[in-house]
Amino acid sequence: MMRRAWVVAATLLLASPALANCVPPWQTQFACAIPERDARAEFCRIAEPAQHPGKKDAYYTYVVGTQPAELYFETDSTWFSTKDTDVDHPTDLTMALGYARGDYVYAFVVTQDKRLDARIR
């Protein structure tokens, strides 16, 4: 019975593509499953960069299934933006955070939607 419980627990953990795999000292800032592609995107960042000289502040990775990462890069250039829309508009607050690589910024956006009882989407 105990062995079965461990197998079930391991299967559930391994089958969840939204779990981030950030390598210490980096920590998960955001991780997102993309079910249509059996993929995940992960944004990993060092909380105290000054304590880890020689390491980049953050890294981004995009992985499909169990394949090696299609895209991986480290960066010291992170961007942050917020937006507050008009009063009485259904999407009220938006926050975006991105990691820069060359001429591109890979970002995630979080929006509070009043139509969904002010939940985050």
Side-chain angles (χ1 to χ4, degrees):
M1 182 69 167
M2 180 62 111
R3 182 175 178 197
R4 180 190 290 177
W6 281 107
V7 170
V8 169
T11 302
L12 289 173
L13 289 174
L14 294 174
S16 179
L19 293 175
N21 297 312
C22 298
V23 177
W26 291 277
Q27 299 171 357
T28 303
Q29 190 162 29
F30 181 80
C32 174
I34 306 164
E36 303 83 28
R37 297 187 178 180
D38 185 30
R40 73 179 174 272
E42 298 175 351
F43 293 78
C44 304
R45 190 164 186 188
I46 295 177
E48 299 290 334
Q51 293 179 4
H52 302 279
K55 294 193 181 294
K56 299 285 187 179
D57 290 353
Y59 74 83
Y60 170 87
T61 187
Y62 178 82
V63 177
V64 176
T66 58
Q67 299 298 315
E70 266 187 35
L71 177 61
Y72 170 89
F73 68 88
E74 296 179 9
T75 185
D76 285 324
S77 181
T78 58
W79 298 55
F80 181 78
S81 175
T82 61
K83 179 180 176 184
D84 191 2
T85 58
D86 295 330
V87 176
D88 297 327
H89 191 272
T91 55
D92 191 23
L93 301 171
T94 300
M95 185 235 22
L97 190 129
Y99 293 178
R101 178 180 186 232
D103 292 336
Y104 296 94
V105 176
Y106 295 80
F108 64 90
V109 178
V110 179
T111 301
Q112 178 187 24
D113 193 331
K114 291 181 180 177
R115 297 170 295 186
L116 301 172
D117 299 322
R119 290 182 294 170
I120 302 297
R121 64 180 174 99

